[in-house]
Amino acid sequence: MSIEIDVAPKRLNMFVGVLLLALGVFSATATAQQQPASTPPATTQSTNTAGQAPKWELFGGYSWYDPRGFYALDETPTLPIKAQSLDTGFGLAGTRNFGNVFGFTFDYSGHFGRELRVNTITFGPQAKWRGDEHFQPFAQALVGIVNDKPLNTITGSQWHATLGGGGGFDLMFTDHFGLRLFQADYLYNNWEFALHTGERSQWNSIRLQGGLVWYAGLPAPSAPATASCSAQPSSVMAGEPVHVTATASGFNPKRTVSYAWTSTGGKVGGTEATTTVDTNGLAPGSYTVKATVSDNSKKPNVADCNAAFTVNEPPKHPPTISCSANPASVRAGDAVTINSQANSPDGRPLTYTYEASAGRISGNGATATLDTTGAASGPITVTCNTSDDRGLTASSTTTATVENPPPPPQASKLNEITFPNEKKPARVDNTAKAILDDVALRLQREPDSKAVVVGYATTAEEAKKANKNLAAQRAVNTKACLDGAEASCENQSKQIDPSRIEVRTGTGDQNKAEIWIVPAGANFTGEGTNPVDEGKFKAQARTRAEEHPAHHKAAAKKEAAPTK
């Protein structure tokens, strides 16, 4: 019985071509994605070696092998038996890296079963993706020899050429230690299971491995990328520009470095190494400009730096103020307007307050009012204060005078008349009448004033029984000439209300009547005088001779002349 097994050289060539093509694509992708060591910001630099390949990677671990082929026993040399998978085995590998992607690996694995033992020795190129700090997949192409040793067979141990390839995943824990989570390889070879017939079996073997990886010769971490910033000038007034420059070091010179700018105040921007801060509108204080320098790769090197600048407080000019009082002189109880004129050289908003040494002042703007009610006569000092929103103040004073109150109105003697007629001592003659006309005019001009008439009599006059009340009669007759009761006084056009005239008698050895004027608000004290009960006296009318004495004398003389 013969068994023909098609080794399918065309399919084998196709497989090898596809494997090599996949390995090439994977290697190109890994090369494109590979980056230099990633460097965190300058303030938190570490020894991260992601992307850096060690010189040597040594693997050791468990290996499982499935021959996926046939062999023959001694007793049945022409009957092929399918080779069973080998659960017991180990794998060793050493890889020498040349750069961050490519390496050359040397691989040995031994597998042991009850009926079959397989040992492989292979080598070939390997490509590994190191973009991640820990997880690192790889692919490899292998060529070498395989020793197949079926037990109890007529063929014995055989060495055959083998080729294949595969890949896996490593988990890198530290710079020297890692774990190969999974590795799968395909290995192809032909095994001659019937020597006398020359029949061969095509072994499409699968090998699975996992174990520990030790790294040796890892490059020292590259110097961290750094940046330093400087601001010129570092102290400005608001509105003046600040120029900030960042100087970067430690970056890959083959990469383009860009700059990102931020500031705690003002306007800043751009992607160049120098930027300008617009400080318009900034309040006085300290501010910080930050530059973030990056090489713009997928996992870029990044470094930060800060520069500080200060916006100085502008010169502070206190406000000015002047104030005035209108009117400057008032009577007690009158109001005074206080006008303030204040100015801030720096254009700051102003507020006003006022103080007064007497009286009460109110107002919180440019105008205030001083109430002088209850204030004593004399000057009142008003202090006008102004303050801006920065607490700078100014003061000025003005004075309002409270005038002395006018003296209280008092009664005063206006005039007096005499009574020279001994025969009729109470009669008002023409001389007195002229005086009383003037008194009547005064009372008309002062409608709120009153008059007091005080009559007097001499001791000799009062010694006569007929003149017992002569002083009172003189006062009554005088009033009659003022209020119009006595028609002969001819002052009807100046008649004064009788209620405005008071009659009294005084003590003193005089033949007269005094006329006192009493303004509104004044009182006639009446010391040494007594009121007259006008109901007991009647004004005495003057005779015609008393009214016109010169005319009367001429008429009497004519009557007395002799008849011719």
Side-chain angles (χ1 to χ4, degrees), residues 97-224:
N97 292 310
F98 300 94
N100 291 336
V101 177
F102 292 105
F104 191 85
T105 186
F106 179 86
D107 177 280
Y108 169 79
S109 63
H111 308 89
F112 310 97
R114 297 179 61 183
E115 299 178 351
L116 178 67
R117 295 180 180 178
V118 178
N119 296 281
T120 62
I121 301 174
T122 60
F123 54 89
Q126 184 186 85
K128 200 168 195 176
W129 184 71
R130 305 178 192 277
D132 188 270
E133 184 176 357
H134 301 292
F135 187 69
Q136 300 179 348
F138 64 92
Q140 59 189 6
L142 300 173
V143 64
I145 57 174
V146 58
N147 176 256
D148 302 324
K149 187 179 182 180
L151 302 179
N152 302 317
T153 66
I154 60 174
T155 57
S157 176
Q158 298 182 28
W159 290 90
H160 302 282
T162 185
L163 59 86
F169 307 96
D170 287 350
L171 186 64
M172 186 177 183
F173 293 129
T174 69
D175 291 348
H176 297 288
F177 176 74
L179 179 65
R180 182 154 295 177
L181 297 176
F182 176 77
Q183 177 180 332
D185 296 311
Y186 166 79
L187 297 173
Y188 169 81
N189 69 283
N190 285 323
W191 194 78
E192 186 177 354
F193 67 89
L195 294 177
H196 62 284
T197 62
E199 295 185 45
R200 296 176 177 273
S201 172
Q202 177 180 319
W203 283 25
N204 296 292
S205 305
I206 299 298
R207 184 179 65 180
L208 304 179
Q209 292 182 329
L212 302 178
V213 182
W214 185 72
Y215 306 100
L218 189 71
S222 59

Side-chain angles (χ1 to χ4, degrees), residues 474-504:
R474 285 175 172 171
V476 170
N477 289 348
T478 302
K479 177 180 179 180
C481 277
L482 291 172
D483 63 13
E486 175 53 57
S488 60
C489 285
E490 296 181 354
N491 66 341
Q492 286 86 349
S493 61
K494 303 180 182 64
Q495 291 179 358
I496 305 303
D497 185 349
S499 63
R500 297 177 60 195
I501 304 172
E502 181 184 359
V503 291
R504 304 179 73 90

Side-chain angles (χ1 to χ4, degrees), residues 467-539:
N467 295 334
K468 180 180 180 181
N469 295 313
L470 180 59
Q473 191 62 59
R474 285 175 172 171
V476 170
N477 289 348
T478 302
K479 177 180 179 180
C481 277
L482 291 172
D483 63 13
E486 175 53 57
S488 60
C489 285
E490 296 181 354
N491 66 341
Q492 286 86 349
S493 61
K494 303 180 182 64
Q495 291 179 358
I496 305 303
D497 185 349
S499 63
R500 297 177 60 195
I501 304 172
E502 181 184 359
V503 291
R504 304 179 73 90
T505 60
T507 59
D509 194 15
Q510 303 177 76
N511 63 337
K512 66 177 182 176
E514 295 178 345
I515 300 91
W516 290 73
I517 189 78
V518 183
N523 294 313
F524 182 73
T525 59
E527 292 182 6
T529 66
N530 296 297
V532 175
D533 184 359
E534 296 184 59
K536 296 180 179 181
F537 298 92
K538 182 179 180 181

